[in-house]
Amino acid sequence: MKDLGPETYGELNADVYDEWHAEHDPAEAVRGLAELIAEGPAGPVFELAVGTGRVTIPLAATGVDLRGVDASEAMVARMRAKPGGDRIPVVIGDMVDVDPGTDDLFAMVFVVFSTFFFLPDQDRQVRCFANVAERLLPGGRFVLECPVPDVARYERNQTVETHRVGLDRVRIAAVRHDPVEQRFEGHHVLITGEGTKLAPAFMRYAWPTELDLMARLAGLELRHRWGGWRREPFRGEGTYVTVYEKPAG
């Protein structure tokens, strides 16, 4: 896709994001993050890509000193309109820069769902790891929730899937796969009696071993990899949670 920027996804999806992801309960992510925060060093926590605050707001409500960044003013406006959302400091900017607007170091930096993969190329993903490492306290952690790429679902590197069918609406996803650049590019398409809405979907995926290499280049060490927020064993499929740590010495 041409003319993509770090804000593109949020600006074009903010009005439907909560509705289309309502089936993904953030409670387990909030609980798992709170447990990791309690186990780590004392200090503030920073979220990459706060979005509409689905994890941000309930996590901050537990008493965590939480700040964040998001490239999309539209997404952040949605968060700030929710109860408690206006009290969380958020910087508008590209998450690759990990810039909280202060010189603070953080006990944890985290990014949930598949959002890290919205960084569109390997260079920006490597830079993100490096910038996170610079912002962590000794012993601080970088926590990522990511899906294992399911490339088998693509026939001739493309797929069209039906997500929802109703009496007055249909939502489908049309996606192309570039196996060389490790990119998915496409659209969620909502068709109703009132018209058609296109919501772009694009990501540059990475395998767990590639994330481990990015972490090592940034000076971070693999501490945990689980099959989910309940710390179940990782089986090489589905969504998983990885915890990298900045050495204390």
Side-chain angles (χ1 to χ4, degrees):
M1 292 184 186
K2 296 181 179 179
D3 302 322
L4 289 178
E7 76 290 342
T8 301
Y9 179 84
E11 293 297 298
L12 296 180
N13 289 277
D15 60 334
V16 295
Y17 184 83
D18 285 338
E19 175 188 352
W20 288 7
H21 294 83
E23 70 274 16
H24 299 140
D25 186 357
E28 283 196 3
V30 172
R31 187 183 310 112
L33 287 165
E35 291 172 351
L36 283 167
I37 291 166
E39 295 169 1
V45 175
F46 194 71
E47 181 181 6
L48 306 183
V50 300
T52 63
R54 297 178 67 244
V55 168
T56 317
I57 295 173
L59 183 59
T62 68
V64 173
D65 180 3
L66 180 60
R67 304 107 184 251
V69 64
D70 200 283
S72 169
E73 294 188 8
M75 294 284 268
V76 175
R78 293 263 170 175
M79 185 192 81
R80 288 175 173 156
K82 298 177 181 178
D86 60 340
R87 296 194 295 270
I88 302 169
V90 175
V91 175
I92 302 297
D94 189 347
M95 70 174 176
V96 73
D97 297 321
V98 197
D99 182 5
T102 72
D103 293 330
D104 292 339
L105 296 179
F106 294 90
M108 179 186 291
V109 177
F110 71 91
V111 56
V112 293
F113 308 129
S114 56
T115 312
F116 179 78
F117 291 160
F118 288 0
L119 294 175
D121 55 58
Q122 186 184 67
D123 178 67
R124 291 171 66 78
Q125 292 174 355
V126 169
R127 283 169 50 202
C128 184
F129 265 88
N131 289 330
V132 166
E134 290 184 2
R135 288 290 184 176
L136 286 174
L137 290 162
R141 295 169 170 185
F142 185 25
V143 181
L144 302 95
E145 181 185 26
C146 301
V148 176
D150 183 8
V151 298
R153 58 196 285 202
Y154 293 89
E155 182 178 353
R156 292 180 296 174
N157 291 319
Q158 57 186 300
T159 185
V160 177
E161 297 180 344
T162 302
H163 282 247
R164 185 168 298 176
V165 176
L167 290 176
D168 60 347
R169 61 185 54 209
V170 174
R171 181 159 68 93
I172 63 176
V175 184
R176 293 183 64 87
H177 174 218
D178 182 339
V180 176
E181 297 295 331
Q182 297 176 200
R183 287 177 60 88
F184 300 136
E185 296 184 345
H187 279 279
H188 287 275
V189 184
L190 178 64
I191 305 172
T192 71
E194 300 174 353
T196 301
K197 175 181 174 58
L198 296 177
F202 52 91
M203 62 173 56
R204 191 271 172 183
Y205 63 85
W207 302 98
T209 51
E210 186 180 2
L211 294 177
D212 292 348
L213 180 58
M214 294 181 194
R216 187 166 61 182
L217 292 172
L220 302 177
E221 299 176 351
L222 176 64
R223 179 62 59 191
H224 304 290
R225 176 164 286 129
W226 300 306
W229 292 108
R230 296 180 181 179
R231 306 191 180 191
E232 53 266 59
F234 176 51
R235 306 295 187 189
E237 60 185 12
T239 300
Y240 62 98
V241 175
T242 303
V243 180
Y244 298 105
E245 187 170 292
K246 185 172 183 175

